[in-house]
Amino acid sequence: MAQSKRILEYPNEPDRQSLSALLVRKNAPFNAEPTPPDLVKNYITPIQYFFCRSHGPIPDLQDDHTFVINGLGVRGKEQTWSVKDIKQKYDKKYVMMAMQGNRRDGLHRVKHTKGVIWGPCAIGNGVYAGCRLKDVLESVGVTKDLPDLGRLHCEEDVCYGSSIPLTKALDPFGDVLLAYEMNGEPLTRDHGHPLRVVVPGYIGARSVKFLKSITIQGFESEAFYQRRDYKILPQHAKKEDQAELFWSKMPSIGEYNVQSYVCDPADGLHSGQTKNQVVQGYALSDSLLDVSGNDGKTWVEASLYQPAADGKATHVWGWCTWTARVDTVDNVRIVCRAVDSSGNIQQEQPVWNYRGVMNNSWRTADKRPDAVL
């Protein structure tokens, strides 16, 4: 007899009345994002406009919650820490960063994709506070002197599992935190209270919430969401049975790609031909943002806004918001494209993949007839 699939129950979800402005993409587990105009109202995204990503029921944990650190290099093989220990024993650091993983809907319009159909607003720019993961690891014996450092991984948690290269975790400029605050307040339950990992520059799937364990090992996490999800599969893998052939062959996604989107007017859709239409949006870029009102025939350079957070955090991991003025054409969507300082540029057309990840095309496909968005 085939083993039945475990049914998750949601009896103790947090109160979400303050999140009423979000567009709910799935109720259980709770997944929601703001509207495009709401997203760019603020440079630091308030909680009421910050997307929520969940893979299951939200636990209700307190500061006496503990997690373990074990594996290669750890003194005594395993050490247990509480959230109170983290707050009391390590210096408080700040990092402003974009948390993101979005725009699956653009690929779902091309062909069916698997997963929650996110729009362009599963992204937010927050200021996180906590201690450096590097400091904690070094205090238990895990340092850059470990043999074969470049091949080691830092695995986080056991239920929802993920991992990052140990070189990222120990990088003094990598800014990986064990975070307990967000935007000056304790983490909310939806965002990982009481403790989460935040990994700047990486997709949000690597920033594990409700931290339970950290393991130093010679291979990446064997958890489902590391090995069988968040990978770009070949375009000919169109169904689950075809995807099975490639999960073990394709690399897990780490760093996010260059990205931007027109948020106001929402999705670049406007009322008609206009001179000097004010346009606003966001970008994951540190260099150049162009906007077009005539289907890419000509482009206008936007003004970027990317300040530091009151001198407490570096801005390099944060997003840009931007403003431009363009002349629009009837029935032609306003589009934008970003270029980063390494010369990476958004591609013009969507590149479909089964999981619908890493979509960063500056063109948006029209809805296909059978799509359910």
Side-chain angles (χ1 to χ4, degrees), residues 95-107:
V95 62
M96 181 171 66
M97 59 173 275
M99 186 77 71
Q100 70 91 35
N102 62 2
R103 295 189 64 192
R104 180 174 288 133
D105 64 340
L107 298 187

Side-chain angles (χ1 to χ4, degrees), residues 243-310:
E244 287 290 332
L245 302 174
F246 296 99
W247 290 122
S248 64
K249 299 178 181 179
M250 307 308 293
S252 302
I253 300 170
E255 296 176 343
Y256 53 65
N257 52 5
V258 62
Q259 181 70 274
S260 71
Y261 200 76
V262 176
C263 293
D264 194 0
D267 303 311
L269 301 175
H270 54 89
S271 57
Q273 184 169 339
T274 307
K275 292 287 188 181
N276 289 317
Q277 167 84 51
V278 176
V279 187
Q280 295 179 304
Y282 68 81
L284 298 179
S285 170
D286 55 1
S287 182
L288 180 65
L289 193 291
D290 291 328
V291 184
S292 176
N294 58 7
D295 200 37
K297 294 182 176 64
T298 60
W299 298 86
V300 173
E301 184 177 349
S303 297
L304 303 182
Y305 181 71
Q306 193 183 33
D310 298 328

